[in-house]
Amino acid sequence: NYGRCYGSTLESNGKLIMVGQALNEAFDGFTVARVTLDGHPDESFGVNGRVINDFGFEVQVAFDAIVQPDGRIVVVGVNYEDDNTRNNFLVARYLTDGKLDSSFAGKGWTSTNFNGDDYARSVAIQPDGKIVVAGSNTYRALVARYNTDGSLDESFGNSGLVITRVNSFPIINAMALQADGKIVLAGTLSSNSNGSVVICRYLSNGSPDNLFGNNGILISD
């Protein structure tokens, strides 16, 4: 058994949240750990400072996390079967003690299908508490916005989802929210040997920001 860490964030008290994947013979687990200020596992969180969840998929991996103002932890990643052909966004929310928050999507987690090889890589919280999740699949940048209860925000994009065609293979790794509510995604083009960067910007309702780049998309080396 072993684990991998793919992302981290800090709580307001300085404790470190790390997320990733725990691997064993039975399944790959969605993993969250908390470390105290002196570098030790936080025994008040989960079991020995960590939580490993099996949501019923062959593989489930956490890539990013953010702490809400109330201390609850939102973690995003991917779930898929072993053939790696049906990947979905995976979003989970935890209470401060590491238990799944049952007020989120009724069970503490939700899986969102964009009908592709979907990976969620970054998460942000809007001032109104809505959760924005960004990632990508083949040829497309992806954004989903969730209400505080875990349901998709129907006022955003197409029933909560935004899909942006990029004429290459984008890997969206990062996201930021501007003060004016605009959403900025950033990543690389995996099919481009020159190491080009791709940046997408959206209005707060999920529409492309046509004042940015070419219809909201900027590709640059």
Side-chain angles (χ1 to χ4, degrees):
N1 297 347
Y2 62 98
R4 296 170 176 157
C5 178
Y6 292 111
S8 64
T9 190
L10 287 174
E11 295 186 331
S12 60
N13 58 14
K15 291 182 179 181
L16 175 67
I17 300 291
M18 299 183 295
V19 299
Q21 177 185 26
L23 299 94
N24 60 39
E25 294 179 357
F27 69 95
D28 290 4
F30 200 77
T31 303
V32 186
R34 189 164 71 196
V35 179
T36 60
L37 275 68
D38 60 2
H40 291 91
D42 183 355
E43 299 292 337
S44 69
F45 186 82
V47 178
N48 298 323
R50 65 181 182 273
V51 175
I52 302 173
N53 289 117
D54 177 8
F55 297 124
F57 305 97
E58 291 265 352
V59 178
Q60 46 242 309
V61 186
F63 285 115
D64 194 24
I66 193 168
V67 180
Q68 296 184 174
D70 62 6
R72 287 182 287 184
I73 305 161
V74 180
V75 183
V76 302
V78 61
N79 63 262
Y80 55 88
E81 300 302 327
D82 236 1
D83 59 6
N84 198 23
T85 59
R86 300 183 65 180
N87 301 359
N88 296 329
F89 275 23
L90 184 57
V91 184
R93 191 166 70 192
Y94 297 85
L95 303 174
T96 57
D97 61 0
K99 292 184 176 69
L100 284 167
D101 179 5
S102 61
S103 70
F104 184 81
K107 53 190 175 183
W109 64 275
T110 186
S111 181
T112 301
N113 181 13
F114 286 84
N115 294 315
D117 189 17
D118 314 328
Y119 282 78
R121 298 276 189 177
S122 187
V123 59
I125 304 292
Q126 293 186 170
D128 61 2
K130 291 183 178 181
I131 300 163
V132 185
V133 181
S136 53
N137 62 25
T138 305
Y139 292 113
R140 302 184 293 179
L142 310 173
V143 190
R145 190 164 74 190
Y146 302 85
N147 297 309
T148 57
D149 64 359
S151 62
L152 284 167
D153 179 6
E154 298 286 336
S155 69
F156 182 78
N158 183 9
S159 299
L161 308 180
V162 171
I163 300 172
T164 303
R165 175 84 177 187
V166 179
N167 292 322
S168 189
F169 290 85
I171 300 176
I172 299 299
N173 290 315
M175 173 179 52
L177 303 182
Q178 296 185 178
D180 60 4
K182 292 181 180 180
I183 302 165
V184 182
L185 276 55
T188 62
L189 301 182
S190 62
S191 66
N192 189 312
S193 60
N194 295 325
S196 292
V197 170
V198 58
I199 303 173
C200 303
R201 191 165 75 182
Y202 304 89
L203 305 179
S204 60
N205 65 0
S207 300
D209 181 0
N210 292 326
L211 298 178
F212 182 82
N214 183 11
N215 296 321
I217 303 172
L218 174 66
I219 296 175
S220 173
D221 59 5

